């Protein structure tokens, strides 16, 4: 429920709900636990990441929208990293959250290259680039003129 409420607020108002706001919108007669709230926010980042990549596919005109998605994911990532403790195994979600953040940053990087008339060449499947001497690290490949 927390993820659904968070997604609705993000899509409708471009905001991240506080725990009190989420409690009020949930209509629950019992308190929403910290675990449910944080878990919902962390799960929200996956949905926001998918929306960012979908928007990025539209090209350069989508940069402001993708940047907004990045701000949302970064705010949640940064805030959860500052917590001294994540309840009930939520720490396991930090890797996926960081991965989502990295994917959105990569999409913005590629859009920035497009706006400069450049493009990223995809690395060849797990092999070293010809004459490059680097192994495939999952990082963007060499940049070339379009």
């Amino acid at each position: 429920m927390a993820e659904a409420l968070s997604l609705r607020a993000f899509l409708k108002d471009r905001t991240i709900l506080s725990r009190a706001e989420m409690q009020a919108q949930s209509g629950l007669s019992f308190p929403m636990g910290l675990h449910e709230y944080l878990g919902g926010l962390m799960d929200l980042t996956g949905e926001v990441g998918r929306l960012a990549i979908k928007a990025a596919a539209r090209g350069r005109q989508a940069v402001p929208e993708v940047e907004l998605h990045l701000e949302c994911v970064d705010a949640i990532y940064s805030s959860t990293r500052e917590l001294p403790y994540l309840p009930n195994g939520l720490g396991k979600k930090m890797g996926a959250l960081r991965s989502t953040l990295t994917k959105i940053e990569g999409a913005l990087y590629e859009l920035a290259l497009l706006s400069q008339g450049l493009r990223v060449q995809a690395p060849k499947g797990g092999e070293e680039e010809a004459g490059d001497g680097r192994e495939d690290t999952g990082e963007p490949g060499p940049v070339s003129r379009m």
Side-chain angles (χ1 to χ4, degrees), residues 10-141:
F10 180 76
L11 293 175
K12 183 179 174 205
D13 303 321
R14 303 297 195 207
T15 61
I16 299 172
L17 296 175
S18 69
R19 188 171 166 195
E21 291 168 330
M22 193 177 294
Q23 179 71 47
Q25 288 187 18
S26 73
L28 295 174
S29 59
F30 53 89
M32 178 177 288
L34 181 61
H35 177 263
E36 288 80 13
Y37 173 70
L38 290 175
L41 289 182
M42 294 174 90
D43 290 344
L44 168 69
T45 62
E47 294 302 320
V48 171
R50 280 185 272 287
L51 292 171
I53 300 305
K54 183 177 177 182
R58 293 195 316 266
R60 291 174 272 199
Q61 70 274 12
V63 168
E65 184 177 352
V66 177
E67 287 174 338
L68 176 69
H69 291 86
L70 177 64
E71 287 176 30
C72 173
V73 174
D74 188 44
I76 293 169
Y77 178 73
S78 298
S79 297
T80 53
R81 280 193 61 206
E82 291 179 13
L83 295 173
Y85 169 75
L86 288 171
N88 299 337
L90 286 177
K92 295 180 208 173
K93 294 185 178 198
M94 289 301 288
L97 208 164
R98 178 68 190 148
S99 176
T100 298
L101 187 63
T102 302
K103 287 176 188 174
I104 300 171
E105 290 170 338
L108 278 171
Y109 173 73
E110 290 182 29
L111 289 172
L113 292 176
L114 282 173
S115 70
Q116 299 296 316
L118 304 171
R119 66 182 171 91
V120 174
Q121 295 175 350
K124 295 175 182 155
E127 300 175 11
E128 288 187 19
E129 293 286 329
D132 187 325
R134 293 183 302 122
E135 292 183 23
D136 181 13
T137 62
E139 295 297 315

